[in-house]
Amino acid sequence: MASNEDIFKKVVSHAKEFGFVFPSSEIYDGLSATYDYAQNGVELKNNIKKYWWTAMVQMNENIVGLDAAIFMHPKTWKASGHVDAFNDPLIDNKDSKKRYRADVLVEDHIAKIEGKINKDITKAKKRFGDAFKEEEFRNTNPNVLRRVGEIEKIEAQLKAVQVNEDLEGFKSLIEELGIVCSVSGSKNWTEVRQFNLMFGTEMGSVAGDASTIYLRPETAQGIFVNYLNVQKTGRMKIPFGIAQIGKAFRNEIVARQFIFRMREFEQMEMQFFVKPGTQKKWYEHWKEARIKWHKALNLGSDNYRFHDHLKMAHYADAATDIEFNFPIGFKELEGVHSRTDFDLSKHEEFSGKKLRYFDNEDNESYVPYVVETSIGLDRMFLAVLSSSFNEEKLEDGSERVVLNIPPALAPTKAAVLPLVKKDGLPEKAREVMKTLQYDHICAYEEKDSIGKRYRRQDAIGTPYCITVDHQTLDDNTVTIRERDTMSQERVAIDQLPRIIGEKVSMKNLFIEPVVSV
Ligand code: ATP
């Protein structure tokens, strides 16, 4: 079986070969950790956005959308705390000159210990077979218990140095754990320093007059500064939400792992404004709603877990990550944060404008509390792509690479294929295309054998191939081949728009998820 690292490499090269993701400005050898979404990638990305927008805005009467500018008044970032506190701890290895995020070094060390626990469990599972009880093993096996204790101790130490911003303590922890650089293998570390992640630039054409502005490091602040505008013009009553999809920029210390961590990326964020004191309830509500949204895609319910933050951001009173099992391990995909009234209060303070809400029912005015859901669109794209990627051995001994992307998210919904390039079949196939094209992205292909064309569509995740053959000319029927099962069904052409429409409808994702086996 291929290792996770191999799978990751395959996914990255598949994404390039089949027009999903290209390195940015590749003719100039690319720009580190910057990527462009290609012809299939942009469709998948748009469909993910649509799924999110439908779930958050369209399906909720009390959530509306927004598209705020990337540039914002510089005071925004002073108020939000980003100028002073949006830092990551940085450490260099003196021998390799390789740069790391100090917290990630410790987290990777913890992940290694978790890996050992999982190895012990796999071994025991093999030894005991059906009689194996994982939970009991976890609770009693001395090795597992020792390692869990070790992890808990390290997590407590990590939390302490993070909360106290104890940079010396951070370095001592890395030394104490014996963490080595993966390139030089040495423990020759520099001091730990704080590094601000915001990109600054200048506005205006006269350099001397220019004032520094920042590329937004999160979309949320565009929502906060517009909260009262939206509340008033939309006559919104608390609780209500504002949703936004847009670019964010962070000068990440180490940007790598393909589109998982980039310096320019896209976020889908929703800020939900609630009455103070009710935030806990709404925090739980959104945790549940968001995990349900993920699981409805049927990418494997075991591939998700919650991970509560060890160190809360300066604005939060509760925070958790929804982690996904990427080929690079369980990593953050989405955050659900209870942000209190921190942001709105700070904007009141810095702008001198009142940002209060008058509650007619309770006859009182207050600064609302906020529960936020924040998901990285690029990470979501990677989650879909990597979990859909499959190499299959078929019954006839041949192999195929298939992307089992949920049909509602697939870039191309249907490919229309004349069996041969003559006898009037191409013309008929074009007619079929026309009945579908208004509603869906479709492909038309007549080159190469039908088998080869099926494989090409499998490789980009097209869920349905419609084949026009000689019988079509006689009775106006075509075959629909289903990507995952490869089964074929003959249907009348006039039924096609309905059948394809139903199969690829986003509605299917809102029906209770089918539990994957
Ligand atoms: P991390 O701990 O991985 O740096 P974060 O906790 O700083 O992430 P948030 O500030 O909570 O991330 O941002 C919300 C979401 O935006 C994340 O869950 C992630 O999906 C996405 N995101 C954050 N940074 C990046 C990045 N550099 N590249 C791609 N997506 C990102």
Side-chain angles (χ1 to χ4, degrees), residues 282-283 286-287 290 306 309 318-322 334-338 371-374:
W282 287 110
Y283 172 70
W286 283 110
K287 267 177 73 174
R290 295 304 303 146
F306 284 111
H309 285 201
T320 194
D321 294 336
I322 296 176
E334 171 159 7
V336 181
H337 311 128
S338 175
V371 175
E372 151 186 273
T373 71
S374 173

Side-chain angles (χ1 to χ4, degrees), residues 82 86 88 101 103-104 107 197 217-218 248-252 254-256 258-269 309 315 320-322 326 331-337 339 372-380:
H82 283 82
F86 195 53
D88 272 344
R101 246 172 75 177
D103 53 334
V104 172
E107 278 164 10
L197 299 182
E218 62 177 24
F249 304 82
R250 294 182 189 177
N251 200 0
E252 296 279 0
V254 188
R256 60 189 154 104
F258 192 39
I259 54 174
F260 181 81
R261 187 176 301 285
M262 296 190 288
R263 297 197 171 94
E264 172 184 342
F265 58 99
E266 217 162 334
Q267 288 185 317
M268 305 193 284
E269 294 197 303
H309 285 201
Y315 49 75
T320 194
D321 294 336
I322 296 176
F326 292 97
K331 302 253 181 218
E332 172 175 348
L333 169 59
E334 171 159 7
V336 181
H337 311 128
R339 289 179 82 128
E372 151 186 273
T373 71
S374 173
I375 173 168
L377 176 53
D378 312 271
R379 288 193 190 173
M380 187 59 202

Side-chain angles (χ1 to χ4, degrees), residues 110-111 114 118 138 291 295 301-308 320-325 329-334:
I110 293 172
E114 275 172 353
N118 290 337
R138 277 184 186 273
I291 197 78
K295 290 191 176 173
S301 46
D302 290 347
N303 284 330
Y304 303 89
R305 71 181 187 196
F306 284 111
H307 181 254
D308 293 339
T320 194
D321 294 336
I322 296 176
E323 294 188 337
F324 185 75
N325 190 9
F330 269 99
K331 302 253 181 218
E332 172 175 348
L333 169 59
E334 171 159 7

Side-chain angles (χ1 to χ4, degrees), residues 256-467:
R256 60 189 154 104
Q257 292 166 325
F258 192 39
I259 54 174
F260 181 81
R261 187 176 301 285
M262 296 190 288
R263 297 197 171 94
E264 172 184 342
F265 58 99
E266 217 162 334
Q267 288 185 317
M268 305 193 284
E269 294 197 303
M270 193 278 298
Q271 311 294 322
F272 200 68
F273 300 89
V274 305
K275 188 174 172 165
T278 64
Q279 70 271 24
K280 190 86 195 130
K281 177 182 102 187
W282 287 110
Y283 172 70
E284 293 303 331
H285 168 89
W286 283 110
K287 267 177 73 174
E288 202 185 310
R290 295 304 303 146
I291 197 78
K292 203 169 164 195
W293 181 89
H294 285 286
K295 290 191 176 173
L297 286 172
N298 230 347
L299 304 178
S301 46
D302 290 347
N303 284 330
Y304 303 89
R305 71 181 187 196
F306 284 111
H307 181 254
D308 293 339
H309 285 201
L310 287 178
K311 182 205 172 197
M312 223 79 83
H314 53 278
Y315 49 75
D317 74 356
T320 194
D321 294 336
I322 296 176
E323 294 188 337
F324 185 75
N325 190 9
F326 292 97
I328 44 176
F330 269 99
K331 302 253 181 218
E332 172 175 348
L333 169 59
E334 171 159 7
V336 181
H337 311 128
S338 175
R339 289 179 82 128
T340 68
D341 60 354
F342 176 85
D343 302 86
L344 291 180
S345 297
K346 283 286 174 191
H347 286 307
E348 268 201 335
E349 187 185 323
F350 278 72
S351 68
K353 307 269 169 25
K354 285 261 169 285
L355 295 177
R356 302 184 153 249
Y357 171 83
F358 183 74
D359 196 323
N360 281 323
E361 268 159 41
D362 297 341
N363 209 19
E364 59 174 326
S365 116
Y366 51 78
V367 175
Y369 268 44
V370 172
V371 175
E372 151 186 273
T373 71
S374 173
I375 173 168
L377 176 53
D378 312 271
R379 288 193 190 173
M380 187 59 202
F381 183 103
L382 184 59
V384 173
L385 192 69
S386 58
S387 57
S388 300
F389 178 86
N390 280 306
E391 291 171 308
E392 286 181 359
K393 241 199 157 71
L394 304 179
E395 271 172 19
D396 64 4
S398 64
E399 284 174 18
R400 70 163 182 166
V401 175
V402 56
L403 295 183
N404 301 103
I405 300 175
L409 300 188
T412 302
K413 305 298 187 210
V416 182
L417 316 170
L419 188 62
V420 289
K421 219 161 67 179
K422 54 183 186 183
D423 305 337
L425 297 189
E427 291 74 12
K428 190 74 187 168
R430 291 272 182 210
E431 275 174 33
V432 172
M433 267 294 270
K434 285 214 179 79
T435 67
L436 297 171
Q437 233 170 352
Y438 294 105
D439 296 314
H440 312 289
I441 298 277
C442 299
Y444 173 86
E445 268 210 292
E446 56 180 30
K447 203 168 171 289
D448 294 327
S449 73
I450 194 79
K452 269 196 187 154
R453 282 179 276 165
Y454 284 157
R455 290 290 172 276
R456 275 206 293 271
Q457 295 301 326
D458 288 343
I460 61 167
T462 306
Y464 302 102
C465 283
I466 296 159
T467 307

